[in-house]
Amino acid sequence: MKPEVMQTFATLKEVHERHNCHKLVTFEESLKIVGAAHAVHCCIWSEADKPLAGLDTDNTKTLDKRATILMHLRFDGSLGFGGGEVDEQLAGVSLQQGQLVTVKAIQRELEEEINFDGAKHQIDQSNYLYSTVQKDTRRGVELVLHFYAYQVSSVEIFEIEKRSLDSCEHGRENLGNVRVPLYTMTANRGFPVFIKNRFAGSALSTLLFFLIHYGVMTKEEIQAAKIATTN
């Protein structure tokens, strides 16, 4: 295994162990879990185009925006990434077929939830991040979660937000898009407060891993944000 890949999985393992008990698996390993249900989720993001000015208490401080990351408020009141379940049974299929099925599923789910323009934006296996498996106690089966990240331009992410208002699930599954505040204001407002919200499943650990993996924030910055709102 390449050193950079080993470092990625080391960071991922650390993040997940701190926030939940999901087990990390490779995509290929997930296809060997008999009877498992599969779900896919995707983080849509862009690099920052300009800093944010005038948001702090004195209305003069300029904040480092860093990036734009889209999440949404779900029907159950928690924050999560767009996605959903894979309709097909994946146990025993080939690696190539499994990858095709999951990519198709994430495109379908995003089109339903945020009116994602699948003709313009083609998610593929190069956008894959990682997979985890956990016990779905409600159904009594193993649940495999596959996570993807798709980067667009700062103009395109604004277009994606506007298009979502016309999605068939707007106001139902998706109650509205939310941009992650990737900055800390006075009195520890911003990111430290945001991560205290309720997140669906492993969405928080996915977000934190994404931030570290793509160099948006360091582990030390994330830890400082967690400590800042402990009391």
Side-chain angles (χ1 to χ4, degrees):
M1 185 178 290
K2 295 180 180 179
E4 60 268 27
V5 176
M6 291 178 65
Q7 180 60 43
T8 293
F9 274 87
T11 300
L12 182 56
K13 186 174 186 295
E14 178 183 351
V15 170
H16 271 271
E17 285 179 345
R18 288 186 179 184
H19 292 275
N20 50 55
C21 59
H22 301 173
K23 177 184 176 183
L24 294 171
V25 293
T26 66
F27 192 94
E28 191 168 9
E29 288 172 339
S30 75
L31 301 179
K32 300 176 183 179
I33 305 175
V34 178
H38 291 251
V40 289
H41 295 86
C42 183
C43 171
I44 298 175
W45 72 290
S46 73
E47 294 183 347
D49 53 348
K50 57 184 177 180
L52 297 172
L55 284 184
D56 221 334
T57 51
D58 60 3
N59 204 37
T60 59
K61 185 176 180 180
T62 298
L63 300 171
D64 185 6
K65 186 178 176 183
R66 301 194 181 203
T68 299
I69 297 174
L70 291 188
M71 300 187 76
H72 64 242
L73 181 62
R74 292 160 38 101
F75 62 93
D76 60 3
S78 61
L79 294 166
F81 293 105
E85 290 202 12
V86 178
D87 295 332
E88 295 86 344
Q89 176 57 245
L90 294 182
V93 304
S94 67
L95 177 60
Q96 182 180 24
Q97 181 62 20
Q99 292 172 339
L100 289 174
V101 169
T102 53
V103 165
K104 180 180 177 181
I106 192 61
Q107 289 276 161
R108 182 194 68 240
E109 290 294 328
L110 291 178
E111 288 173 9
E112 291 177 0
E113 292 182 359
I114 62 171
N115 195 26
F116 192 66
D117 189 349
K120 182 177 182 179
H121 301 290
Q122 292 290 324
I123 297 174
D124 57 37
Q125 199 60 21
S126 67
N127 304 117
Y128 170 76
L129 285 181
Y130 67 95
S131 302
T132 65
V133 60
Q134 66 189 81
K135 189 71 174 180
D136 186 335
T137 55
R138 181 175 59 87
R139 293 181 293 181
V141 299
E142 298 293 325
L143 175 62
V144 179
L145 303 175
H146 305 286
F147 298 99
Y148 294 76
Y150 184 73
Q151 183 178 3
V152 296
S153 71
S154 58
V155 173
E156 290 171 329
I157 204 163
F158 185 60
E159 294 173 348
I160 289 170
E161 289 177 302
K162 291 193 294 183
R163 281 180 60 92
S164 70
L165 296 175
D166 295 321
S167 73
C168 63
E169 292 296 343
H170 181 72
R172 288 167 46 85
E173 285 191 30
N174 178 7
L175 301 185
N177 292 312
V178 175
R179 291 189 177 197
V180 180
L182 299 172
Y183 45 79
T184 299
M185 304 166 69
T186 55
N188 292 317
R189 294 171 299 154
F191 185 72
V193 172
F194 180 80
I195 60 176
K196 293 299 180 181
N197 282 298
R198 178 179 177 180
F199 291 82
S202 59
L204 177 58
S205 38
T206 300
L207 171 63
L208 299 184
F209 170 73
F210 172 89
L211 295 175
I212 297 169
H213 182 62
Y214 282 92
V216 179
M217 299 181 86
T218 65
K219 288 189 288 185
E220 292 73 22
E221 286 176 317
I222 290 172
Q223 185 62 22
K226 291 165 61 178
I227 294 173
T229 53
T230 297
N231 299 324

